[in-house]
Amino acid sequence: EVQLVESGGGEVQPGASLTLSCTTSGFTFAHSDMMWVRQSPGKGLEWISGISRNYAAYYADSMKGRASISRDNGRSMTTLRIRNLKTEDTAMYYCARGLNSLTAMTDKGQGTQVTVSS
């Protein structure tokens, strides 16, 4: 059974940083592209970042310069660090298998909530 479990969300003030983590099981992580998507209240899913099995990283324009994605094949996990958080970053964040588009997404986790508020 494929499992993806996100953690690291929380409520922070604008300008803060968070590191989101995703631990996985049930598939060969080293052979899988991974990505992060988010869903803000009242909006659809938004792709924000992906990392290939070869460690190539991709970012949405909204994340460029503020986010860093990484992967640890030995621990079957991926992390996304977001700096300078803004109120518009408030969303449920999910990790998923896939790379750089929602159409490539499979096996999404349950999500971790990020709330940015002053």
Side-chain angles (χ1 to χ4, degrees):
E1 179 187 6
V2 172
Q3 289 191 324
L4 301 96
V5 180
E6 301 91 340
S7 62
E11 184 168 354
V12 298
Q13 293 187 337
S17 300
L18 278 177
T19 298
L20 308 180
S21 298
C22 174
T23 56
T24 73
S25 61
F27 63 99
T28 305
F29 182 83
H31 295 173
S32 184
D33 300 325
M34 299 298 298
M35 63 181 180
W36 288 87
V37 300
R38 69 183 181 185
Q39 187 164 22
S40 301
K43 298 184 178 180
L45 281 172
E46 174 191 11
W47 174 84
I48 56 173
S49 184
I51 186 165
S52 75
R53 65 198 74 183
N54 297 318
Y55 296 88
Y58 303 88
Y59 301 97
D61 288 344
S62 61
M63 287 288 140
K64 286 181 180 177
R66 298 195 298 130
S68 298
I69 189 171
S70 63
R71 64 187 297 151
D72 183 336
N73 288 349
R75 298 172 66 187
S76 298
M77 65 183 297
T78 179
T79 61
L80 180 70
R81 180 164 177 80
I82 309 173
R83 301 173 293 277
N84 189 24
L85 282 156
K86 307 173 183 180
T87 56
E88 53 263 42
D89 292 320
T90 295
M92 185 71 79
Y93 285 71
Y94 304 90
C95 72
R97 298 174 70 186
L99 185 57
N100 56 6
S101 71
L102 293 179
T103 56
M105 182 179 67
T106 61
D107 300 314
K108 184 169 57 71
Q110 294 298 306
T112 185
Q113 177 68 38
V114 173
T115 301
V116 186
S117 174
S118 56

